[in-house]
Amino acid sequence: MQLGNLSRYPLATLPTPLDEAPRLSKELGIRVLVKRDDLTGFALGGNKVRKLEFFLGDALNQGAEILVTGGGPQSNHARTTAAAARRAGLEALLVLVGAPPQEINGNLLLDKLLAAEIRFVQLPSQDFDANDRAIAQAAQELQAQGRKPYAIPVGGSVPLGCVAYLLAAGELLDQLKAANVKADYVFVTNGSAGTQAGILAGMKYYGATIPVYGISVSRASAPCAERVSKLVQETAEFIGVPLALAPGDVIVNDQFIGPGYGIVTPEARNAICLVAQTEGIFLDPVYTGKTMAGLIALARQGDIPHGATVVFWHTGGQPGMFGYAGEF
Ligand SMILES: *Cc1c(COP(=O)(O)O)cnc(C)c1O
């Protein structure tokens, strides 16, 4: 499928700003610019809004009437999918992993306001494959009932979602060019890998060489890197454009996960407070807080050289913060 022929349902306010972060930069001894995908606009924003433009376009082409996806109880992806469904006059079924929480807050509260149908399933936490199977099964059940479901895997990390970040990389490259900035790194969170894979695919697509440094918030480096490589390859096949990776192109650091996915670390807490107090920008406790903790540590250790220019890709997630009030 040619890139230009993909259906795209407009949701995001684009381009998102590329902001200088002068006080944070001074603190870290590097130049930090923040790509504000927390400000994609729709339904409290975040990276999933870009991906959903393509899923919704495809779903409507297929005549779907209900979007089916899943994640954790505080899934940003689930919240945004449920809102995107409503925007297009569709329904949403969310397959959330875990026990129904005692307190309804953060993204889960927003899911309820959207009147998404919510199904809690007991699965090994962090087993994305099991969650994806539960999503597929829920969609099959709806189909058997004569409904028209459209299933979206956890995080939307399939080629159609990666395409959104391939294009977003082009958006960033245009902004860097217009501002006459030469970036040495792009830092981004790796959750289900699609955002990093999409940005990396975009660097290849547009002939740019800025390293894309992924910070994992769930899995070890090796499986994350494997997933990124596979997604870049599949995206290349999907759009019919070669996007060959060279050794060393896929960078994933798993040193900032802490005890596990969704568990706030002291370093992430400090990073969230530092960015709030230097720049008035809010990060989130599950994804961007840990990624910023990684950038801070690597800058302070000198692994990111003094004076380097880093684009920190802010992927949103702030509604999740309200599910973590007790941690702060
Ligand atoms: C989903 C999510 C990510 C991770 O994106 P992937 O494409 O799954 O790697 C990062 N930040 C936030 C806030 C998210 O909701």
Side-chain angles (χ1 to χ4, degrees):
M1 176 70 92
Q2 276 191 337
L3 209 45
N5 291 341
L6 290 169
S7 297
R8 184 173 185 177
Y9 189 98
L11 294 172
T13 306
L14 301 178
T16 58
L18 179 65
D19 286 344
E20 294 276 0
R23 276 155 294 275
L24 177 64
S25 296
K26 192 156 174 250
E27 189 74 30
L28 301 182
I30 57 175
R31 181 181 184 186
V32 182
L33 294 102
V34 184
K35 180 61 174 157
R36 299 295 303 272
D37 273 13
D38 56 323
L39 303 180
T40 49
F42 178 71
L44 300 183
N47 62 338
K48 305 311 183 308
V49 177
R50 286 189 194 261
K51 299 184 185 191
L52 277 159
E53 291 195 324
F54 289 91
F55 291 124
L56 201 48
D58 191 34
L60 293 172
N61 280 346
Q62 294 186 20
E65 55 189 33
I66 178 165
L67 303 184
V68 184
T69 197
Q74 282 298 342
S75 168
N76 299 301
H77 171 67
R79 173 248 311 166
T80 323
T81 299
R86 290 311 192 192
R87 173 68 158 254
L90 311 182
E91 290 179 60
L93 169 60
L94 307 177
V95 182
L96 304 182
V97 176
Q102 303 264 298
E103 221 183 315
I104 309 248
N105 54 26
N107 283 304
L108 188 57
L109 171 62
L110 303 176
D111 297 341
K112 297 272 184 189
L113 299 183
L114 293 159
E117 188 187 330
I118 298 173
R119 203 175 287 174
F120 284 97
V121 292
Q122 303 301 319
L123 297 171
S125 74
Q126 286 194 63
D127 187 342
F128 295 124
D129 294 336
N131 199 350
D132 281 342
R133 284 194 296 273
I135 291 165
Q137 194 189 331
Q140 272 164 18
E141 283 167 24
L142 288 170
Q143 189 111 43
Q145 293 161 20
R147 308 281 306 276
K148 291 182 181 137
Y150 183 89
I152 305 173
V154 176
S157 288
V158 289
L160 192 55
C162 293
V163 158
Y165 269 89
L166 181 156
L167 295 172
E171 182 183 301
L172 171 69
L173 293 169
D174 285 346
Q175 288 173 315
L176 289 171
K177 195 169 170 204
N180 200 18
V181 173
K182 193 194 153 297
D184 299 303
Y185 295 95
V186 170
F187 265 66
V188 68
T189 307
N190 184 316
S192 60
T195 303
Q196 184 180 357
I199 296 168
L200 184 54
M203 293 298 172
K204 297 292 166 190
Y205 185 82
Y206 296 105
T209 55
I210 309 170
V212 182
Y213 199 116
I215 303 278
S216 173
V217 295
S218 55
R219 284 173 293 192
S221 293
C224 285
E226 206 172 293
R227 220 173 137 94
V228 170
S229 303
K230 185 161 169 270
L231 281 169
V232 171
Q233 219 163 43
E234 289 173 357
T235 302
E237 283 159 26
F238 181 62
I239 62 171
V241 174
L243 304 168
L245 292 176
D249 275 348
V250 181
I251 309 166
V252 184
N253 184 322
D254 61 5
Q255 294 303 297
F256 302 95
I257 301 170
Y261 173 76
I263 303 171
V264 188
T265 60
E267 293 76 16
R269 201 177 292 125
N270 288 339
I272 289 167
C273 294
L274 178 67
V275 174
Q277 290 161 25
T278 52
E279 298 295 340
I281 293 175
F282 297 117
L283 302 176
D284 84 287
V286 179
Y287 299 96
T288 55
K290 286 183 179 175
T291 302
M292 183 56 82
L295 175 56
I296 291 170
L298 294 168
R300 294 211 161 126
Q301 283 159 221
D303 290 337
I304 300 295
H306 195 84
T309 299
V310 174
V311 174
F312 179 86
W313 208 305
H314 192 333
T315 44
Q318 291 100 329
M321 181 64 87
F322 301 107
Y324 283 80
E327 304 275 339
F328 289 81

